[in-house]
Amino acid sequence: MTEETIFSKIIRKEIPANIVYQDELVTAFRDISPQANTHILIIPNKLIPTVNDVTEQDEMSLGRLFTVAAKLAKQEGIAEEGYRLIVNCNKHGGQEVFHLHMHLVGGEPLGKMLTK
Ligand code: 5GP
């Protein structure tokens, strides 16, 4: 069974979050525990627990994650210097919230891609 997470409540505005973008397919809001000067989560409105659960039906909303990431990066003024988009999956990926999400992080140099 697919269980809702706190992110579904954020999408429905049942709990507070700093939402920076929302449309019929995706929602973007600032991470509660930012790991960089800019740290925004962009998520499909439909609950997809992990990348392992993605189907062809999700291609529209998952594509939208990228167009919204590009739009928000410009809006945040970090597009030219650059940023990182991260999608964690399951235990080895370090996923904590099981509602697929893209992290948009930047606003400062981010260093090497992986630390273990
Ligand atoms: P993951 O490790 O699953 O890829 O990332 C989950 C992210 O969600 C973490 O960066 C964490 O800080 C963020 N997060 C968890 N709960 C909340 C919340 O209630 N509100 C917001 N804005 N971010 C959250």
Side-chain angles (χ1 to χ4, degrees):
M1 209 190 85
T2 301
E3 279 191 29
E4 277 195 0
T5 74
I6 197 146
F7 287 0
S8 292
K9 292 191 167 64
I10 289 174
I11 292 164
R12 295 195 297 263
K13 301 185 174 146
E14 291 169 3
I15 62 163
N18 191 341
I19 294 177
V20 293
Y21 180 89
Q22 188 166 48
D23 64 22
E24 78 286 7
L25 290 179
V26 306
T27 300
F29 50 96
R30 294 195 191 277
D31 196 292
I32 202 166
S33 175
Q35 303 297 305
N37 286 331
T38 292
H39 189 169
I40 293 171
L41 301 174
I42 313 166
I43 71 178
N45 294 338
K46 175 191 160 190
L47 170 51
I48 305 165
T50 80
V51 174
N52 292 335
D53 304 300
V54 165
T55 70
E56 284 180 14
Q57 277 70 50
D58 301 319
E59 286 175 358
M60 275 277 282
S61 59
L62 298 183
R64 185 70 60 84
L65 297 184
F66 278 91
T67 47
V68 170
K71 190 194 300 259
L72 292 174
K74 283 198 195 83
Q75 206 170 287
E76 294 283 310
I78 64 172
E80 292 310 314
E81 295 281 12
Y83 50 90
R84 189 169 289 156
L85 301 174
I86 302 166
V87 180
N88 294 321
C89 181
N90 277 344
K91 194 167 61 174
H92 282 189
Q95 184 175 5
E96 289 175 356
V97 179
F98 289 86
H99 183 135
L100 191 155
H101 49 281
M102 174 186 278
H103 298 253
L104 164 61
V105 283
E108 60 188 289
L110 296 170
K112 282 191 188 296
M113 190 169 71
L114 296 177
T115 52
K116 289 186 192 165

